[in-house]
Amino acid sequence: MNLLEAFIYSAIIALIAGTVLPLLYHSKNSRKASFVLSFLSSILLLIFAGIILYTGKEPSFPAFRFLPGLDFTLATDRLSAGFILLIAAVTLGVSIYSVEYVEHAKSEARKDIQAALTNLFILSMLMVVLAGNMVGFLVFWEIMSLSSLMLVLHDYTSEENKKAGLFYFIMTSLSTAFLFMGFMSLFSLTGSAEFGQLDYPTSSLTLPFLCLFTGFGIKAGLVPFHKWLPYAHPAAPSSISALMSGVMLKVAIYGFLRFLLSVATPELWWGTLILIAGTLSAILGVIYAIKESDIKRLLAYSSIENIGIIFTGIGLYLIFKLEGVESLALLSLVGACFHAFNHALFKSLLFLGAGSVVHATGTRNIEAFGGLIKRMPYTATLFLIGSVSIAGLPPTSGFVSELMIFQVYFNSSAIPDPLLKVLLIITLSVFALTSALAAALFVKLFGITFLALPRTKYAHEATEVPKPMLLGETIPAAFCILSGLFSSRILALLGFDLGIPDMLLLGLILAAACGLVWLAVRNSGPAKARMSKETWGCGILAQHPTMEYTSAGFSEPLVVIFKKIYRTEISSTRIYSDTRESIFKNGTARIHLIKFFEERLYLPVASAVSLVSSQVSKMQNGKLDTYVLYVFIAVLTLMTFTRYFA
Amino acid sequence: MNASFLLFTLLNTGFILLVSPLFMSLIKKVKASTQGRKGPNLLQSYFDLRKLMKKEVIYSPNSSGIMRITPYLNLAVLILASLFVPIVFIPEAPAGIGNIIVFLYLLAIERFFTALCGLDAGSTFGGMGSSRLMSLSAVIEPTMVIAFAALAYVLKTVNFHEMFAITAGSTIPKSPTLTLISISLFIIIIVETGRIPVDNPATHLELTMINEAMILEQSGKNLALIELAHAVKQTILMAVLINILAPWGLATKVTFAGLAVSCLYFLVKASLLAGVIGLFESSIAKMRLFRLPSFYMMAFFFSALTILMEVFA
């Protein structure tokens, strides 16, 4: 057994132990030990992934045999190592955070189960990425879906959570069904369940592509399959939201990339489809997020936006690869992967921060917050780092990946096809709008949550969260800053020379400039600042929190500008007391926000399915002889079929 | 880091910091004279800054650290951004300095923190300003990006330094498309510096307030820093337009005479542009907030047209 095998096996064993321990010994210490184990395993995984990324080794370890001929192997290459790095980096913070966070669950049993399932969830995501063939991939994919489902249903007594769980269950099963179909059609094409080079004519790969795109798209939360995200995230505990949004969506991206990169001759329309779907997800995600005032639902919509950005990068990769511009293709692929990594970190940071805020105030509604920066200064600082990073401000990591995609777009004059260029211009302007709206969104989220006066007594009485939770948030925050500052150096170390600006230099100049400005004005004016009695308000007697801007007020201009997209229906009926309709007597008015995808896409499909199944259920009467008759008819049909058609 | 870049840092940034307030007063002067007033002294902005520097800083007890760091951060960000736009000469800059995407996002940092600052004290005016600023800046962003992408399309580089080296090499604008982009860039200057018809820098009336609303709680030297940062932003954006449309005289080599000529030329050209901005502000009325997106569409149209012309040329 060599060093790499030792690393990976001990990481897996640690996670298994972490799953079993809290189920066997029901105590606070065993839960603590379980999270320590997942913390240790993530350190091992970080080293393991680092070695593989740096050396480019592609080890594979035979593990066990499902059936004769179906070995389960663990295989890694640089793609999966990148995603293992991502899983480990997020787990690092989440496991420390959970040590304290899990103790706030309602009952002892729930605490134990949450600790165990968290470990199982992490393990299953790791195994999906490590899986060397389709069978292993699907098995662990299903374990991943089910363990996360149970975590979403953690607080199962609430009516809202039951609905969220059901929604998530249907969507995730649908995703698995599509993946199954995609993998089956690949299997029938190649005759092998291994992930290998797919050197087949593209016409035969159209079906697998569409199935896998849909399957992974559902899991990743691509519009129009995104609706489960804003339901499932608020229902799940925050540490699980961090894992789901940070890691599980990326596992879907991994699966899609694994397929896409193995296809020898993809087609241009694939790239165009992915690009358009990505751009649409990005813009719709952020536009829906702007209107949201539930902190976790807002972050869920923002995840849809970021998944859109990642898919945009993948789409650009395909387009530029097929147009023969290798350097830009590489830049967009690395940009997409780097954005996946960055999003994992800043979104888990934001979800953990949101968890802290919800823990301190007891509500998810940001209209009830305010002034938390005074009460929870550390959480606020860490949340600000996350917000700055997700808004894509230099020199943080979120900026670097957006920069890469912008750079690809700006250099797109290199491709010859004029129509493709027009498509790129349109998607570029939408992409620009997305990133600016994201900045507006996080000004709103941070500003309304943490700044000004507390709006309710819950916010007023909030106190800083315990240290382990803060420490858990510090780790992704540090990643956000460091992987931004050292981005070009890290990428160079991995062998990617992409010619992106050096953020370290910019960061240093910025810090120096701040210092110089401070030095220059240090001695001017009176040394001590004075505190006024309160904020000036045109001579009002006392400032009151109700005078502050609210979340809904903040987003109102954007809601007006994009009212076509929100599809608000305003209807009214009036009754007049005279025939000439001039004296108003009575009436009703209604503002209805159409949930477009739910009402126009999901519900029609769901009602069609339930119509068919209600017909089918008529055939079930529970009597044995009826079923024997069915079997008889089935056998007869088969015999006729084989006689005449086979 | 080389000697040329260090010299550039000192000269370029120093020059921009020095002359920026001048253009603020110049625009006020032009507006005043079109309205038949005498207008302020040309050095008035410098006097104002000096006065503010001496005054004490007053904070609202509701405000947090955001209010305290933003003035410093904003000016620092704009000092960094000033390195991206050569005015005195074009140096051999390290890779990445001059990248137009980084430049756009440096402006975004300034916007982000100014907007947070507006929300910090909990005043209604501040919130209103932040909300409007972030909404309008989101709607103008596609225009800005497409305008800069059009520049990158025409000049085949994403670096300002290289762009200006290309334009400075020729005596007239290289292609008619650059003139089209200039219209968009002009509108971007108007929007980004908060001038009529988008915002009115001269009033403190809540109907028109965007930028003024957010800095209402700032005082003393913090306000001075913010005002200076605002002036620097205006100068930098003007310099981008000037170096694209009328790049004559920009030194590509370091000689004493060359530097002097660059500075002098820039002063003349920027004064003219400031005059044009003043006249533009005087000749147009403040638009309703929700009419602005269509005004932005115009700028978007010109820059998109440029790219389309390049694509199908």
Side-chain angles (χ1 to χ4, degrees), chain A residues 373-374 384 387-388 391-395 399 402-403 406-407 409-413 417-419 421-422 424-426 428-433 435-440 442-444 446-448 451-453 499-503 505-507 509-510 513-514 517-518 521-538 543-544 547-549 553-558 560-562, chain B residues 1 5 53-66 68-69 71-73 75-80 83-84 94-97 99-102 104-106 108-109 111-113 115-117 119-132 134-142 144-146 148-149 152-153 156-158 216-217 221 225 289-290 293 300 304 307-308 310-312:
Chain A
I373 195 169
K374 293 255 166 66
L384 181 64
S387 304
V388 164
L393 301 183
F399 169 68
E402 284 195 22
L403 169 81
F406 267 121
Q407 199 130 326
Y409 269 125
F410 276 40
N411 284 313
S412 61
S413 56
D417 186 354
L419 280 177
K421 274 188 194 169
V422 174
L424 289 179
I425 294 165
I426 295 169
L428 168 62
S429 46
V430 178
F431 184 64
L433 182 62
S435 77
L437 284 173
F442 281 91
V443 166
K444 165 180 138 164
F446 185 81
I448 303 291
L451 302 181
L453 287 173
I500 53 167
D502 185 0
M503 285 299 133
L505 178 67
L506 289 179
I509 297 179
L510 193 61
C514 271
V517 172
W518 182 76
V521 301
R522 189 177 44 140
N523 287 325
S524 59
K528 217 171 154 2
R530 192 156 63 90
M531 279 293 186
S532 69
K533 284 200 77 159
E534 64 186 3
T535 305
W536 180 75
C538 297
Q543 195 190 4
H544 194 266
M547 290 165 185
E548 288 165 18
Y549 245 54
F554 189 92
S555 42
E556 179 63 18
L558 285 169
V560 171
I561 292 170
F562 294 108
Chain B
M1 286 277 191
F5 184 64
M53 280 293 178
K54 284 184 190 158
K55 295 237 172 196
E56 69 179 341
V57 183
I58 302 177
Y59 292 116
S60 156
N62 305 332
S63 66
S64 67
I66 299 281
R68 288 156 179 79
I69 59 162
Y72 296 90
L73 186 69
L75 190 57
V77 163
L78 282 153
I79 286 175
L80 176 55
L83 297 181
F84 284 51
I97 298 289
N99 186 305
I100 52 182
I101 305 154
V102 179
L104 282 177
Y105 275 82
L106 287 177
I109 299 186
R111 221 183 284 135
F112 190 88
F113 279 93
L116 282 185
C117 222
L119 287 166
D120 197 17
S123 120
T124 317
F125 297 111
M128 184 165 59
S130 308
S131 157
R132 289 177 179 176
M134 292 320 283
S135 308
L136 291 179
S137 69
V139 187
I140 191 72
E141 188 75 8
M144 285 183 68
V145 165
I146 290 290
F148 282 76
Y153 258 70
K156 305 275 179 269
T157 165
V158 290
L216 211 54
E217 286 294 318
K221 60 184 174 191
L225 292 178
L289 192 68
F290 293 114
F300 181 77
I307 297 193
L308 290 181
E310 286 291 315
V311 167
F312 292 107

Side-chain angles (χ1 to χ4, degrees), chain A residues 46-109:
Chain A
L46 273 181
I47 300 170
F48 172 78
I51 292 173
I52 289 184
L53 276 174
Y54 183 67
T55 59
K57 278 186 194 164
E58 299 193 352
S60 67
F61 326 101
F64 57 88
R65 177 164 289 196
F66 284 125
L67 290 167
L70 273 183
D71 284 321
F72 176 65
T73 47
L74 305 177
T76 44
D77 55 7
R78 294 185 78 181
L79 180 67
S80 47
F83 282 86
I84 291 172
L85 190 73
L86 179 158
I87 296 173
V90 175
T91 308
L92 216 53
V94 169
S95 54
I96 297 182
Y97 183 90
S98 303
V99 168
E100 184 63 39
Y101 184 77
V102 81
E103 296 303 323
H104 301 288
K106 276 180 188 157
S107 69
E108 284 297 306

Side-chain angles (χ1 to χ4, degrees), chain A residues 319-372:
Chain A
I319 290 177
F320 281 96
K321 190 183 169 204
L322 292 171
E323 291 290 320
V325 195
E326 285 297 331
S327 61
L328 290 182
L330 181 68
L331 185 59
S332 28
L333 185 63
V334 174
C337 292
F338 197 46
H339 195 76
F341 181 74
N342 295 334
H343 178 245
L345 288 160
F346 53 64
K347 191 47 67 67
S348 58
L349 167 60
L350 290 171
F351 265 119
L352 295 182
S356 298
V357 169
V358 173
H359 169 69
T361 57
T363 167
R364 292 198 310 260
N365 184 1
I366 59 177
E367 304 279 22
F369 301 156
L372 294 179

